[in-house]
Amino acid sequence: MSSKAINSAVNRVGQVTQQLSSQAPIKQQLRMSSTANTVHRLNTGAPMPALGFGTWQDKDAQESAVETALKVGYRHIDTARIYGTEPMVAAGIKKSGVPRDQIFITTKLWNNQHDPKSVEPALDASLKDLGVDYVDLYLMHWPSPFQDGDNKFPKDNDGAVIPGSADYVDTYKAMEECQKKGKTKAIGVSNFSQSEMERLLKETSIVPAAHQLEMHPWLQQHGFDKWHNDKGIHIMQYSPFGNQNPIYDGGKDMGKLIEDPTLVEIGKKYGKSGAQVALAWGIAHGRTVLPKSKTESRIKDNLEGDFKLDSEDVEKIDGIDKKLRFNDPSKNFKWNFYADLEGKQG
C-alpha cells in the first residue's frame, strides 16, 4: 500500500472516531431505544429505529397519518422537501404528544437547491416547516441538479426539466457545513450509484451516515449492500414493497411483490402477511425499512413487520431476487441513474 493510501485510510479512521465521539447523549439514546423495537446505529453512533414511517404522497392525509403512526409506536418519520409534507409532519408530531427527543426525523434536499449557497437556506426552510431546531438526518434526494431557484421543477419551453450546473460533491460539502453547525445530526444521500458514492467518499470529509435507495426482495443488490457495510454506511430501503405503489406502471402486469409465494408461505409460519415478511427481511439484513400508508389498520400492520425471521427464511427470501427496479426517472431528470447497479426496469 502506498503512503498516500495509508494516510487516506488513517484519515478515514480518524473521521469515524470523531463522528462516534459526537454521538447523541446516552440518556437520549435509551429513551429512543425503549420506545422503538429494533434500532440500528449510524456511523455517528446515533440510534435509528429500523422501521420508519414514510410520508411520500397523500399530502393532505399526512397530519393524521403521522399522529397515528407515533401514537401506535413509530419513532422514525421520513419526509422530504419535495413531498410537501413537512408542515403536516410537524402538525402530526404536535398532536401525537410524543416529545421531539424521542423521534428520529429524516428530510431531504431537493434538486433545485443544489447550489452550495442554497443548501443551508433549504435546510432552514425545512426546519421551519417541521417546527424543529434540527433534523436527525439530512439527505441529498438525488445526485442530479436542476436549475437553481424557487421552482422545484424548472422546465424549458418544450416542457423538459432544465438541468443545473452544481456538482453533487460541492452540494454535499455544503451539507457537511450544516452538520457542523448542528442543524442536522447526520448527513447522507439517496439514489446514488456506486461510482457516484466512491467519488463522494474520495472528495469529501464526512462519510455519509446513510444511503436511501430502492431495495426490496425483488431488487436485493447484494454486492452494493456489502459495499455499504464495508464503508460503514447504513442503507434505508424505500419502496420496501416493490411494485405495491400504483405509481409504478412497469410493475402492473407481474403480480404484487407482497403476494410472492415465498413471502406468503414464510408469513404463515409466523402468522404474518407477505408485506410484513418483506419488512422483516430488510431489518434482518441490518437495514432500515420505510413503509408508507394513510390507513390506520395498515399503519399498525406495517409496524408488526419488525420481527425476527429465522436464518433459513432469510436465505429463502434472498433467493427470490428478480433484479427488478421500479423507480428510474433518468429520462425526466436528464441523468443516467444507477448506471453501474443491478436492476432492470420492472
Side-chain angles (χ1 to χ4, degrees):
M1 182 182 290
S2 68
S3 59
K4 182 178 180 181
I6 292 173
N7 289 336
S8 177
V10 170
N11 289 338
R12 281 294 178 199
V13 171
Q15 180 209 325
V16 172
T17 301
Q18 184 178 15
Q19 289 177 322
L20 289 172
S21 68
S22 63
Q23 61 184 284
I26 295 298
K27 186 176 181 182
Q28 177 178 336
Q29 292 176 8
L30 290 177
R31 280 203 299 270
M32 184 176 288
S33 298
S34 66
T35 305
N37 193 350
T38 303
V39 174
H40 298 311
R41 294 267 170 193
L42 300 179
N43 61 21
T44 61
M48 173 193 281
L51 201 152
F53 185 74
T55 62
W56 176 42
Q57 301 177 312
D58 304 311
K59 182 169 69 172
D60 294 338
Q62 290 306 324
E63 179 178 331
S64 174
V66 168
E67 177 188 4
T68 298
L70 290 171
K71 284 183 174 178
V72 301
Y74 289 81
R75 289 298 181 266
H76 179 181
I77 305 297
D78 180 85
T79 186
R81 194 65 183 165
I82 192 61
Y83 299 169
T85 58
E86 289 170 329
M88 294 74 179
V89 168
I93 290 173
K94 184 175 182 180
K95 285 187 174 181
S96 76
V98 177
R100 166 68 184 96
D101 63 5
Q102 292 185 21
I103 307 171
F104 191 103
I105 300 176
T106 299
T107 195
K108 308 175 193 77
L109 174 74
W110 186 238
N111 304 5
N112 66 316
Q113 294 182 301
H114 273 209
D115 190 291
K117 72 178 186 304
S118 300
V119 172
E120 187 174 355
L123 177 53
D124 288 341
S126 288
L127 294 177
K128 181 179 179 181
D129 281 352
L130 286 164
V132 297
D133 297 324
Y134 69 93
V135 289
D136 297 276
L137 179 63
Y138 195 45
L139 303 177
M140 192 188 318
H141 208 146
W142 298 87
S144 54
F146 291 169
Q147 182 183 66
D148 206 70
D150 294 332
N151 191 340
K152 292 182 173 62
F153 277 94
K155 296 184 178 181
D156 60 23
N157 293 334
D158 296 324
V161 167
I162 304 173
S165 58
D167 186 321
Y168 61 80
V169 167
D170 295 329
T171 304
Y172 189 85
K173 287 178 179 179
M175 293 170 64
E176 290 180 329
E177 294 305 310
C178 292
Q179 179 173 336
K180 292 172 183 177
K181 292 180 180 181
K183 293 184 177 184
T184 180
K185 300 296 183 183
I187 57 175
V189 297
S190 182
N191 298 300
F192 274 53
S193 69
Q194 184 167 326
S195 61
E196 289 163 347
M197 291 295 290
E198 288 171 345
R199 180 181 171 229
L200 196 71
L201 288 180
K202 184 184 296 185
E203 299 183 25
T204 60
S205 60
I206 297 178
V207 176
H211 186 183
Q212 189 173 133
L213 66 161
E214 180 184 348
M215 187 175 281
H216 44 73
W218 283 357
L219 181 63
Q220 300 190 15
Q221 305 174 90
H222 295 289
F224 203 30
D225 179 56
K226 182 180 184 302
W227 183 90
H228 284 83
N229 287 335
D230 291 344
K231 303 297 182 183
I233 301 170
H234 185 67
I235 287 181
M236 304 168 72
Q237 296 183 200
Y238 74 72
S239 295
F241 301 143
N243 60 344
Q244 175 66 15
N245 195 315
I247 197 172
Y248 297 145
D249 291 333
K252 288 182 177 179
D253 299 325
M254 61 182 63
K256 298 297 185 184
L257 179 150
I258 61 175
E259 296 170 356
D260 184 286
T262 299
L263 299 181
V264 172
E265 188 61 31
I266 290 173
K268 292 176 182 178
K269 174 179 175 180
Y270 301 92
K272 300 286 186 176
S273 67
Q276 290 166 333
V277 171
L279 295 175
W281 170 80
I283 294 172
H285 277 288
R287 302 186 289 258
T288 291
V289 292
L290 300 168
K292 60 171 288 295
S293 179
K294 60 181 179 180
T295 307
E296 182 174 354
S297 61
R298 289 178 182 169
I299 290 172
K300 292 178 179 178
D301 285 347
N302 289 340
L303 190 62
E304 296 302 315
D306 188 358
F307 70 95
K308 183 175 175 56
L309 287 168
D310 292 337
S311 58
E312 61 266 27
D313 294 322
V314 175
E315 290 177 8
K316 287 178 184 177
I317 301 169
D318 288 347
I320 67 170
D321 188 10
K322 297 179 185 291
K323 297 178 172 55
L324 287 175
R325 185 182 300 280
F326 299 105
N327 185 25
D328 186 353
S330 294
K331 182 178 180 181
N332 291 338
F333 286 14
K334 296 183 178 178
W335 190 274
N336 186 19
F337 296 111
Y338 324 123
D340 53 15
L341 301 180
E342 294 178 344
K344 60 181 180 294
Q345 276 290 93

Coordinates of all heavy atoms in Angstrom, one line a residue, residues 310-345:
D310 N -36.2 -16.5 11.1 CA -35.2 -17.5 11.2 C -34.2 -17.4 10.1 O -34.6 -16.9 9.0 CB -35.8 -18.9 11.3 CG -36.6 -19.2 12.5 OD1 -36.3 -18.5 13.5 OD2 -37.4 -20.0 12.5
S311 N -33.0 -17.7 10.3 CA -31.9 -17.5 9.2 C -32.3 -18.3 7.9 O -32.0 -17.8 6.8 CB -30.6 -18.0 9.8 OG -30.6 -19.4 10.1
E312 N -32.9 -19.5 8.1 CA -33.2 -20.2 6.9 C -34.3 -19.5 6.0 O -34.3 -19.6 4.8 CB -33.7 -21.6 7.2 CG -34.9 -21.7 8.0 CD -34.6 -21.9 9.5 OE1 -33.5 -21.4 10.0 OE2 -35.4 -22.5 10.2
D313 N -35.2 -18.7 6.7 CA -36.2 -18.0 6.0 C -35.6 -16.7 5.3 O -36.0 -16.4 4.2 CB -37.3 -17.6 7.0 CG -38.1 -18.8 7.5 OD1 -38.3 -19.7 6.7 OD2 -38.4 -18.8 8.7
V314 N -34.6 -16.1 6.0 CA -33.9 -15.0 5.3 C -33.2 -15.5 4.0 O -33.3 -14.9 3.0 CB -32.9 -14.4 6.3 CG1 -32.0 -13.3 5.6 CG2 -33.5 -13.8 7.5
E315 N -32.6 -16.7 4.1 CA -32.0 -17.2 2.9 C -32.9 -17.6 1.8 O -32.6 -17.4 0.6 CB -31.2 -18.5 3.4 CG -30.0 -18.2 4.2 CD -29.3 -19.5 4.7 OE1 -29.7 -20.6 4.2 OE2 -28.4 -19.4 5.5
K316 N -34.1 -18.1 2.2 CA -35.1 -18.3 1.2 C -35.5 -17.1 0.4 O -35.7 -17.1 -0.8 CB -36.4 -19.0 1.8 CG -36.2 -20.4 2.3 CD -37.5 -20.9 2.9 CE -37.3 -22.3 3.5 NZ -38.5 -22.8 4.2
I317 N -35.7 -16.0 1.2 CA -36.1 -14.7 0.5 C -34.9 -14.2 -0.3 O -35.1 -13.6 -1.4 CB -36.5 -13.7 1.6 CG1 -37.7 -14.2 2.4 CG2 -36.9 -12.3 1.0 CD1 -38.0 -13.4 3.6
D318 N -33.7 -14.4 0.2 CA -32.5 -14.0 -0.6 C -32.5 -14.6 -2.0 O -31.9 -14.1 -2.9 CB -31.2 -14.4 0.1 CG -30.9 -13.5 1.3 OD1 -31.6 -12.4 1.5 OD2 -30.0 -13.9 2.1
G319 N -33.2 -15.7 -2.1 CA -33.2 -16.5 -3.4 C -34.3 -16.1 -4.4 O -34.4 -16.7 -5.4
I320 N -35.1 -15.1 -4.0 CA -36.2 -14.7 -5.0 C -35.9 -13.4 -5.7 O -36.8 -12.8 -6.3 CB -37.6 -14.6 -4.2 CG1 -37.6 -13.5 -3.2 CG2 -37.9 -15.9 -3.5 CD1 -39.0 -13.2 -2.7
D321 N -34.7 -12.9 -5.7 CA -34.3 -11.7 -6.3 C -34.6 -11.7 -7.8 O -34.2 -12.7 -8.5 CB -32.8 -11.4 -6.1 CG -32.4 -10.1 -6.5 OD1 -33.2 -9.2 -6.9 OD2 -31.1 -9.9 -6.6
K322 N -35.4 -10.8 -8.3 CA -35.7 -10.7 -9.7 C -34.9 -9.5 -10.4 O -35.0 -9.3 -11.6 CB -37.2 -10.4 -9.9 CG -38.1 -11.6 -9.5 CD -39.5 -11.2 -9.7 CE -40.5 -12.2 -9.1 NZ -40.4 -13.5 -9.9
K323 N -34.1 -8.8 -9.6 CA -33.4 -7.6 -10.1 C -34.3 -6.7 -10.9 O -33.9 -6.1 -11.9 CB -32.2 -8.1 -11.0 CG -31.2 -8.9 -10.2 CD -30.0 -9.4 -11.1 CE -28.9 -10.1 -10.3 NZ -29.4 -11.2 -9.4
L324 N -35.4 -6.4 -10.3 CA -36.4 -5.5 -10.9 C -36.4 -4.2 -10.2 O -36.6 -4.1 -8.9 CB -37.8 -6.1 -10.8 CG -38.1 -7.3 -11.8 CD1 -39.5 -7.9 -11.5 CD2 -38.0 -6.8 -13.2
R325 N -36.2 -3.1 -10.9 CA -36.3 -1.7 -10.4 C -37.5 -1.1 -10.9 O -37.8 -1.1 -12.1 CB -35.0 -1.0 -10.8 CG -34.9 0.4 -10.2 CD -33.7 1.1 -10.7 NE -32.4 0.4 -10.4 CZ -31.8 0.4 -9.2 NH1 -32.3 1.2 -8.2 NH2 -30.7 -0.3 -9.0
F326 N -38.2 -0.4 -10.0 CA -39.5 0.3 -10.4 C -39.4 1.8 -10.4 O -40.3 2.4 -10.9 CB -40.6 -0.2 -9.4 CG -40.9 -1.6 -9.5 CD1 -40.4 -2.5 -8.4 CD2 -41.5 -2.2 -10.6 CE1 -40.6 -3.8 -8.5 CE2 -41.7 -3.6 -10.6 CZ -41.3 -4.4 -9.5
N327 N -38.3 2.4 -9.9 CA -38.2 3.8 -9.8 C -37.0 4.3 -10.6 O -35.9 4.1 -10.0 CB -38.2 4.3 -8.4 CG -38.2 5.8 -8.3 OD1 -38.7 6.5 -9.2 ND2 -37.7 6.4 -7.2
D328 N -37.1 4.8 -11.8 CA -35.9 5.3 -12.5 C -36.4 6.5 -13.4 O -36.9 6.4 -14.5 CB -35.4 4.2 -13.4 CG -34.1 4.7 -14.1 OD1 -33.7 5.8 -14.0 OD2 -33.4 3.8 -14.7
P329 N -36.2 7.7 -12.8 CA -36.5 8.9 -13.6 C -35.4 9.5 -14.5 O -35.4 10.7 -14.7 CB -36.9 9.9 -12.4 CG -35.9 9.6 -11.4 CD -35.7 8.0 -11.5
S330 N -34.5 8.6 -14.9 CA -33.4 9.1 -15.7 C -33.8 10.0 -16.9 O -33.2 11.0 -17.1 CB -32.6 7.9 -16.2 OG -32.0 7.1 -15.2
K331 N -34.8 9.6 -17.6 CA -35.2 10.4 -18.8 C -35.7 11.7 -18.4 O -35.3 12.8 -19.0 CB -36.2 9.6 -19.6 CG -36.7 10.3 -20.9 CD -37.7 9.4 -21.6 CE -38.1 10.1 -22.9 NZ -39.2 9.3 -23.6
N332 N -36.6 11.8 -17.4 CA -37.2 13.0 -17.0 C -36.2 14.0 -16.3 O -36.3 15.2 -16.5 CB -38.3 12.8 -16.0 CG -39.5 12.1 -16.7 OD1 -39.7 12.2 -17.9 ND2 -40.4 11.5 -15.9
F333 N -35.2 13.4 -15.6 CA -34.3 14.2 -14.8 C -33.0 14.5 -15.6 O -32.1 15.2 -15.2 CB -33.9 13.5 -13.5 CG -34.9 13.6 -12.5 CD1 -36.3 13.9 -12.7 CD2 -34.6 13.2 -11.1 CE1 -37.2 13.9 -11.8 CE2 -35.6 13.2 -10.1 CZ -36.9 13.6 -10.5
K334 N -32.9 13.9 -16.8 CA -31.7 14.0 -17.7 C -30.4 13.7 -16.9 O -29.4 14.4 -16.9 CB -31.6 15.5 -18.2 CG -32.8 15.8 -19.1 CD -32.6 17.2 -19.7 CE -33.8 17.6 -20.6 NZ -33.7 18.9 -21.2
W335 N -30.5 12.5 -16.3 CA -29.3 12.0 -15.6 C -29.3 10.5 -15.7 O -30.4 9.9 -15.5 CB -29.4 12.4 -14.1 CG -28.2 12.1 -13.3 CD1 -27.9 11.0 -12.6 CD2 -27.2 13.1 -12.9 NE1 -26.8 11.1 -11.9 CE2 -26.3 12.4 -12.1 CE3 -26.9 14.4 -13.3 CZ2 -25.1 13.0 -11.6 CZ3 -25.8 15.0 -12.8 CH2 -24.9 14.3 -12.0
N336 N -28.2 9.8 -15.9 CA -28.2 8.4 -16.0 C -28.0 7.7 -14.7 O -26.9 7.5 -14.2 CB -27.0 8.0 -17.0 CG -27.0 6.5 -17.2 OD1 -28.0 5.8 -17.1 ND2 -25.9 5.9 -17.7
F337 N -29.1 7.5 -14.0 CA -29.1 6.9 -12.7 C -28.8 5.4 -12.7 O -29.1 4.7 -13.7 CB -30.5 7.1 -12.0 CG -30.9 8.5 -11.7 CD1 -31.9 9.1 -12.4 CD2 -30.2 9.3 -10.8 CE1 -32.3 10.4 -12.2 CE2 -30.5 10.6 -10.6 CZ -31.6 11.2 -11.3
Y338 N -28.2 5.0 -11.6 CA -27.9 3.5 -11.4 C -27.1 2.9 -12.5 O -27.3 1.7 -12.7 CB -29.3 2.8 -11.2 CG -30.4 3.5 -10.5 CD1 -31.6 3.7 -11.2 CD2 -30.2 4.0 -9.2 CE1 -32.6 4.4 -10.5 CE2 -31.2 4.7 -8.6 CZ -32.4 4.9 -9.3 OH -33.5 5.6 -8.6
A339 N -26.2 3.6 -13.1 CA -25.5 3.1 -14.3 C -24.7 1.9 -14.0 O -24.6 1.0 -14.9 CB -24.6 4.2 -14.8
D340 N -24.2 1.7 -12.8 CA -23.4 0.5 -12.5 C -24.1 -0.4 -11.5 O -23.4 -1.2 -10.9 CB -22.0 1.0 -12.0 CG -22.1 1.9 -10.8 OD1 -23.2 2.1 -10.2 OD2 -21.1 2.6 -10.5
L341 N -25.4 -0.3 -11.4 CA -26.1 -1.1 -10.4 C -27.0 -2.1 -11.1 O -27.4 -2.0 -12.2 CB -26.9 -0.2 -9.5 CG -26.2 0.8 -8.7 CD1 -27.2 1.6 -7.8 CD2 -25.1 0.2 -7.8
E342 N -27.4 -3.2 -10.4 CA -28.3 -4.1 -10.8 C -29.7 -3.5 -10.9 O -30.0 -2.5 -10.1 CB -28.4 -5.3 -9.9 CG -27.1 -6.2 -9.9 CD -27.2 -7.3 -8.9 OE1 -28.1 -7.3 -8.1 OE2 -26.4 -8.2 -9.0
G343 N -30.6 -4.0 -11.7 CA -32.0 -3.6 -11.7 C -32.5 -3.1 -13.0 O -32.4 -1.9 -13.3
K344 N -33.1 -4.0 -13.8 CA -33.7 -3.6 -15.0 C -35.1 -3.0 -14.6 O -35.7 -3.4 -13.6 CB -33.8 -4.7 -16.0 CG -34.6 -5.9 -15.5 CD -34.6 -7.0 -16.5 CE -35.4 -8.3 -16.1 NZ -34.8 -9.0 -15.0
Q345 N -35.7 -2.2 -15.5 CA -37.0 -1.6 -15.2 C -38.1 -2.7 -15.2 O -38.1 -3.6 -16.0 CB -37.4 -0.6 -16.3 CG -36.8 0.7 -16.1 CD -37.4 1.5 -14.9 OE1 -37.0 1.4 -13.8 NE2 -38.5 2.1 -15.1

